[in-house]
Amino acid sequence: ALVQALEPFASDKEALGLANEVMTGVIEVAVQPWKEFVAAAGVSLTGDEKSQLKSLMRGKEVSQFFGDVGDNEMDQQIEEEDDEEEDPDDKASTAFCNQWLDVVGLAVAGRLLERTMRIPRLGRKGAEHLAADLNYIRNVFTALGVAGHPHPLLGYMAKLVTMNEESLQFKIHSRQGEKTPSDALEVIKRAEIRIAYVRGISV
């Protein structure tokens, strides 16, 4: 439905030109949900908050902190260039749609993560339901084919809510005393602890 909503702008050259004039800084639309996610995880960002937030939003190298084989699949994604010549108008239209889909995807991911952090209690059935919802959203983002989506934290959160108790405890305990090289890792550590708490797992 969103792609269809963008079509009138993308398909008309004049409308597209007008729309592009207000696209500068559109990424700011997605910042607030991520700011609230970080706060809900109990983290205060250091240094340049806006820069730290945008780095976390982009998910660059985030999955290196997950500690599981196969969780770094997003970091290994390489944006492939189309060998075929693309009409300039079509190229501009595609870029416009992708830019908006990217912002919407980031905002949705941030809000989902924030709401997950605010869940007061999570039983087995609730955890399974949440994991299914997160994975469904991941599949939708994958189908859209926008670079950088789905965000790796969505998949990681789905794993955390269904991970067996011993594995989650081990993951959290193994991080104790570990130096925190970035705010992104601190967010991940706090998210892991939060998920354990709402699941009633002692850490």
Side-chain angles (χ1 to χ4, degrees), residues 3-196:
V3 176
Q4 293 173 343
L6 294 173
E7 189 175 354
F9 297 97
S11 59
D12 183 89
K13 188 174 181 179
E14 185 176 347
L16 181 59
L18 292 172
N20 280 329
E21 289 180 8
V22 297
M23 290 295 283
T24 303
V26 71
I27 188 67
E28 300 299 326
V29 173
V31 171
Q32 188 61 31
W34 283 88
K35 186 175 182 178
E36 293 177 17
F37 161 57
V38 170
V43 177
S44 296
L45 297 176
T46 59
D48 185 345
E49 182 185 58
K50 185 173 289 188
S51 176
Q52 293 282 3
L53 278 172
K54 288 183 178 179
S55 178
L56 182 63
M57 287 164 60
R58 286 302 174 194
K60 294 179 179 179
E61 301 181 355
V62 165
S63 54
Q64 67 175 305
F65 302 126
F66 295 166
D68 297 323
V69 176
D71 276 333
N72 62 344
E73 56 189 30
M74 178 180 166
D75 292 338
Q76 294 176 350
Q77 287 179 356
I78 299 175
E79 188 173 346
E80 296 181 359
E81 295 183 1
D82 195 340
D83 291 329
E84 296 181 8
E85 287 291 330
E86 189 174 5
D87 182 270
D89 290 340
D90 289 341
K91 190 173 183 179
S93 175
T94 299
F96 169 78
C97 288
N98 284 345
Q99 190 173 2
W100 263 114
L101 290 173
D102 175 49
V103 171
V104 171
L106 287 172
V108 169
R111 186 58 69 199
L112 280 171
L113 293 168
E114 181 262 332
R115 290 301 180 187
T116 299
M117 289 293 95
R118 297 193 187 280
I119 294 173
R121 285 288 181 269
L122 195 61
R124 184 176 62 83
K125 288 293 184 181
E128 291 174 355
H129 194 144
L130 176 58
D133 287 345
L134 289 169
N135 284 323
Y136 173 77
I137 292 296
R138 291 179 68 234
N139 289 336
V140 170
F141 288 153
T142 299
L144 287 173
V146 180
H149 295 273
H151 196 284
L153 277 174
L154 293 176
Y156 189 57
M157 206 64 66
K159 288 186 177 183
L160 289 179
V161 300
T162 55
M163 186 178 290
N164 70 62
E165 182 174 334
E166 292 76 17
S167 295
L168 184 52
Q169 287 175 324
F170 176 79
K171 180 179 286 290
I172 293 171
H173 291 160
S174 67
R175 294 195 191 278
Q176 292 180 354
E178 182 180 43
K179 290 184 177 180
T180 306
S182 71
D183 285 326
L185 175 56
E186 186 62 28
V187 171
I188 292 168
K189 289 165 67 174
R190 296 292 185 89
E192 291 168 350
I193 293 172
R194 176 64 186 172
I195 292 300

